[in-house]
Amino acid sequence: MSIPRHRALAILNLCVGDEIWNEETCHRSGIPQSWINEMSDANESGYKVDTETIYVDNRPTNQYHGVRDLDLAVRVGKVLGVDVERATQSSIGRRAMVQAIKNAVFDGD
């Protein structure tokens, strides 16, 4: 399923790379239900490094069900015609990957 370009750009603009969107947030943002069904998962925290820990209301949690915004950025990038693998090949970390996708979309790469 495809989505209108303006909706795809709005979704991409909201992605940062290290967030998990619950189903309600996905619906409010205009994510197609088929994408939510396909990409939602139970994400587990890791506690060795803070960047592996999932926080809800500023408190760590063991699991959180939702869609990773990195996965959304990748999907939107592909829908918008970006070669995501090429655009992100030198990115280190999730935030850098999302930024590389945004740069490819907005700079026309």
Side-chain angles (χ1 to χ4, degrees), residues 12-100:
L12 183 58
N13 191 49
L14 294 172
C15 295
V16 294
D18 57 5
E19 294 182 355
I20 302 170
W21 296 10
N22 62 32
E23 193 164 341
E24 181 181 330
T25 300
C26 289
H27 286 296
R28 277 195 322 258
S29 301
I31 308 295
Q33 185 63 47
S34 60
W35 289 18
I36 298 169
N37 294 345
E38 184 180 322
M39 292 189 285
S40 65
D41 200 2
N43 298 275
E44 292 191 25
S45 276
Y47 293 101
K48 292 181 182 177
V49 181
D50 190 55
T51 57
E52 296 176 350
T53 305
I54 300 170
Y55 291 90
V56 177
D57 298 325
N58 294 319
R59 296 177 59 188
T61 187
N62 291 333
Q63 279 192 348
Y64 190 79
H65 192 270
V67 178
R68 296 181 329 148
D69 68 340
L70 172 59
D71 295 337
L72 288 169
V74 168
R75 174 67 64 91
V76 168
K78 289 178 180 179
V79 164
L80 294 173
V82 171
D83 182 346
V84 173
E85 287 76 25
R86 186 175 68 82
T88 61
Q89 68 186 356
S90 62
S91 301
I92 299 174
R94 297 178 301 247
R95 284 181 173 254
M97 290 177 70
V98 170
Q99 189 58 52

